[in-house]
Amino acid sequence: MQQAPRSKRLFFALGLDDYSKQTIENWLSQSVTMTKAPTQSRNWHLTLLFLGETSNEIAAKLITEVQTLSAKSFELRIDDYDFWQHNGLFHLKPSVAPTELIDLAAQLRAIAQQFGIEDQHASYRPHITLGRGLKHPPKVDAAPAHHLLHVTEFTLYHSTRDEHGLVYHPITHFPLN
């Protein structure tokens, strides 16, 4: 009998509904040319905090602590795109990140620090990864349609692999006020 893993690769994120994924897929297929296939739409999300490899014990404590977090629901307009040359990452992003989003990410970061988990990034830059490992920026013929997300919850995800590559399994959903 195989023993369950003692840790998992975890992150907090905002999931995307099917309508949002379809809107992004349509934009990608009609307006964007990349040298590599885009990331799988089943994995599209907006990361709040990457935790990395986390023991099951710490994960349980994190979940308990995050359940006490008080954060407001908000609207998030995804209306811009960018390319980070240093890691070949093409992504969608909000042109203006709402205060509620920044506050939520900061609260999660503070909770994670209580358990010895440090954010690997110097600052929070919200984005939805559409392509990775690209040598050159994609050709974009039209800007993305402004898409409004009504954010009423966030999720703790487990990053793992299956026969199709990376897959992100939701572990727990956290409602926003």
Side-chain angles (χ1 to χ4, degrees):
M1 185 165 148
Q2 191 175 15
Q3 194 174 14
R6 295 186 179 160
S7 66
K8 294 179 178 141
R9 191 171 167 87
L10 302 176
F11 63 94
F12 290 105
L14 304 179
L16 300 180
D17 59 28
D18 290 338
Y19 175 77
S20 298
K21 290 178 182 179
Q22 189 60 54
T23 300
I24 294 168
E25 283 179 345
N26 290 344
W27 176 69
L28 276 175
S29 67
Q30 296 168 9
S31 302
V32 179
T33 305
M34 288 193 277
T35 56
K36 292 174 70 174
T39 55
Q40 297 179 50
S41 62
R42 70 178 180 168
N43 291 335
W44 289 342
H45 65 277
L46 190 137
T47 302
L48 295 165
L49 179 66
F50 180 73
L51 301 168
E53 200 66 31
T54 307
S55 73
N56 293 341
E57 178 184 350
I58 295 294
K61 290 177 182 179
L62 274 168
I63 289 169
T64 299
E65 188 67 26
V66 169
Q67 287 171 334
T68 69
L69 185 142
S70 179
K72 295 179 181 178
S73 59
F74 58 94
E75 292 187 339
L76 175 62
R77 184 175 303 281
I78 304 296
D79 58 356
D80 201 1
Y81 65 91
D82 199 3
F83 177 74
W84 294 333
Q85 188 69 50
H86 73 281
N87 60 4
L89 197 101
F90 176 65
H91 58 275
L92 285 174
K93 65 178 191 163
S95 56
V96 177
T99 303
E100 297 90 347
L101 173 63
I102 301 303
D103 289 348
L104 176 58
Q107 288 183 64
L108 291 171
R109 185 179 202 165
I111 290 171
Q113 287 173 338
Q114 294 174 23
F115 297 98
I117 300 171
E118 294 294 329
D119 188 356
Q120 63 187 3
H121 301 100
S123 63
Y124 178 59
R125 298 189 292 175
H127 64 280
I128 301 167
T129 300
L130 302 179
R132 65 179 71 230
L134 302 171
K135 302 280 186 214
H136 305 285
K139 180 180 181 282
V140 179
D141 295 326
H146 293 200
H147 186 69
L148 193 64
L149 299 176
H150 302 283
V151 181
T152 59
E153 70 175 13
F154 64 98
T155 304
L156 177 64
Y157 287 93
H158 171 210
S159 173
T160 187
R161 292 190 170 274
D162 67 10
E163 63 276 5
H164 303 291
L166 279 176
V167 61
Y168 304 142
H169 296 289
I171 295 176
T172 307
H173 301 282
F174 302 92
L176 297 170
N177 302 327

